[in-house]
Amino acid sequence: MTAFGVFIIGDEILSGKRQDKHLARVIGALAGRGLALAWARYLGDERDRIAAALRETLATPDVVFSFGGIGATPDDHTRQAAAQAAGVPLELHPEAKAEIEARFGAEAYPRRIRMGEFPAGSLIVPNPFNRVPGFSLGNHHFLPGFPEMAWSMLEWLLDTRYGHLRRTEREVDEAILVREAGESQLVDLMNVIVSRYPQLKLFSLPHLGPGQRHIELGVRGEAMAVARAMVEIRAGVAGSGFPWEPREPLPAPSTRPQSS
């Protein structure tokens, strides 16, 4: 199964000057196609650190979406870091050059045109907002940090390059709320479920609020397997003498654009 990952790049995110909105958007966009995010990483505007992270993920088959740092100001390092990680030079991409010139005319030079310098061998990702494209390097896709640009580009990538991965049967997430138990008292049951249903993701989430102490215990994955596993979880919890109650169903993830 294809694994999807995300890099979110920018000092402004790590300093708290801006709040990240990309992670939730990617999760929703994938969920709307029956897919799921496997991992996410936040990085500051530090070229060597970005390059090291990309060198690691470029060696995997993961599909990776990277947001931020592809402009042409001194604090943008993602294009250069991607080239460094891949061991190739930056080159002015002819399609990017045409798009930037069409958008800015003579004002594309001498600075804006540099936003079309991508690692050799890249493909462009069209940007309908202002025609300054992002780029793809293998299964890694580099998008702007601005949501109003990046999210339509993300949708385009998922539909045109990964439309074949769309799953008609989406994952479900089901759980019960277990009262009067500590996680250590449920570990044996959890191990049984993990062993019997390796295709599912088990989760155990303690809630420690005053008067609301409980454990949210459940599994996520294909619907029929989830249903079978939950029968065993409910029976195992009851057999151990702990009271439980159903958790309210989770709302379906939304893929509608959010405000920037």
Side-chain angles (χ1 to χ4, degrees), residues 13-260:
I13 300 295
L14 298 183
S15 68
K17 290 181 179 179
R18 289 189 178 177
Q19 298 299 308
D20 168 52
K21 298 179 181 179
H22 295 304
L23 182 60
R25 181 66 184 188
V26 173
I27 291 170
L30 290 173
R33 295 164 171 81
L35 305 170
L37 187 66
W39 56 265
R41 295 174 67 175
Y42 289 86
L43 295 169
D45 295 308
E46 185 179 340
R47 187 176 303 182
D48 288 344
R49 189 180 299 275
I50 298 169
L54 289 172
R55 193 174 298 114
E56 176 186 331
T57 58
L58 282 166
T60 75
D62 292 0
V63 174
V64 178
F65 302 105
S66 176
F67 297 89
I70 64 171
T73 57
D75 60 336
D76 290 317
H77 298 282
T78 304
R79 291 179 298 108
Q80 298 90 332
Q84 183 177 324
V88 298
L90 283 177
E91 295 180 348
L92 181 58
H93 194 288
E95 292 178 68
K97 176 177 180 290
E99 286 290 290
I100 295 170
E101 288 179 340
R103 172 65 177 84
F104 296 106
E107 293 182 359
Y109 295 89
R111 295 180 177 83
R112 288 189 174 102
I113 197 67
R114 297 186 63 188
M115 292 187 289
E117 294 178 351
F118 302 145
S122 295
L123 302 175
I124 70 165
V125 180
N127 179 351
F129 185 85
N130 68 356
R131 300 188 69 171
V132 179
F135 66 96
S136 297
L137 187 61
N139 279 340
H140 282 51
H141 309 286
F142 298 86
L143 309 177
F146 298 103
E148 60 268 32
M149 300 181 192
W151 292 351
S152 61
M153 298 165 77
L154 169 68
E155 297 284 343
W156 182 86
L157 285 164
L158 289 172
D159 288 340
T160 61
R161 298 192 184 172
Y162 301 104
H164 62 288
L165 297 178
R166 181 186 293 266
R167 296 169 59 188
T168 56
E169 185 170 342
R170 300 179 185 178
E171 287 191 341
V172 299
D173 181 315
E174 189 173 342
I176 60 174
L177 307 182
V178 184
R179 309 284 182 184
E180 302 177 13
E183 282 190 295
S184 62
Q185 295 169 290
L186 299 171
V187 167
D188 289 344
L189 172 61
M190 294 182 204
N191 284 331
V192 169
I193 297 300
V194 168
S195 176
R196 287 176 55 79
Y197 299 94
Q199 75 275 35
L200 300 181
K201 288 288 186 77
L202 179 138
F203 55 88
S204 172
L205 305 173
H207 294 257
L208 305 177
Q212 299 183 6
R213 185 178 181 125
H214 64 270
I215 296 169
E216 183 180 341
L217 179 62
V219 287
R220 182 175 68 253
E222 185 271 325
M224 291 185 64
V226 166
R228 291 194 297 268
M230 288 306 302
V231 169
E232 297 189 31
I233 288 174
R234 288 189 287 267
V237 169
S240 298
F242 300 115
W244 62 270
E245 60 192 72
R247 184 202 63 190
E248 291 295 324
L250 296 179
S254 171
T255 61
R256 291 179 299 175
Q258 306 170 31
S259 63
S260 60

